Amino acid sequence: MSQLGRQDGDPLLVDLSDRTIESSSALWDALAKPCGLPGWFGRNLNAWWDTIDAGAISSVIDEHPNLVVRVAPTGIFAPGHPDGAAFAEVTNRSAYAAVEVRSAPYA
């Protein structure tokens, strides 16, 4: 496990809880800009793991001490949906990143 990013400062919060993510493709689209994912990013869980575990893929992510992806329990993040569960499992396995499932937008 590497120590990614800065070890001080604010976390990178990517709040997607105001929308329903209907597919893995839509998830990668939603993450691309706020996470600074490059055009050559693989758009799959292996590429995501490399980004949040090894680093040096996204300078935006690497500039923060940790990453929080906030989602609503709808679409692929609805209970029991395998794509959302797999994304959350991979993300939460990292010491650097986490998925938060919210029932309402963050206030």
Side-chain angles (χ1 to χ4, degrees), residues 54-97:
I57 292 173
S58 165
S59 61
V60 173
I61 290 175
D62 293 349
E63 281 296 313
H64 295 273
N66 60 353
L67 166 67
V68 176
V69 179
R70 187 172 290 149
V71 297
T74 59
I76 67 170
F77 293 103
H81 195 291
D83 293 344
F87 178 81
E89 178 186 347
V90 167
T91 303
N92 292 336
R93 191 179 325 140
S94 169
Y96 175 78

Side-chain angles (χ1 to χ4, degrees), residues 15 17 70 102 104-107:
D15 192 345
S17 65
R70 187 172 290 149
R102 294 217 169 237
Y106 182 68

Side-chain angles (χ1 to χ4, degrees), residues 12-14 16 27-43 47-48 51-52 55-64 67 69 96:
L12 175 59
L13 172 60
V14 178
L16 306 177
L27 174 62
W28 302 126
D29 289 345
L31 290 172
K33 186 174 181 178
C35 289
L37 300 175
W40 50 264
F41 176 75
R43 296 173 61 92
W48 181 243
T51 303
I52 63 174
I57 292 173
S58 165
S59 61
V60 173
I61 290 175
D62 293 349
E63 281 296 313
H64 295 273
L67 166 67
V69 179
Y96 175 78

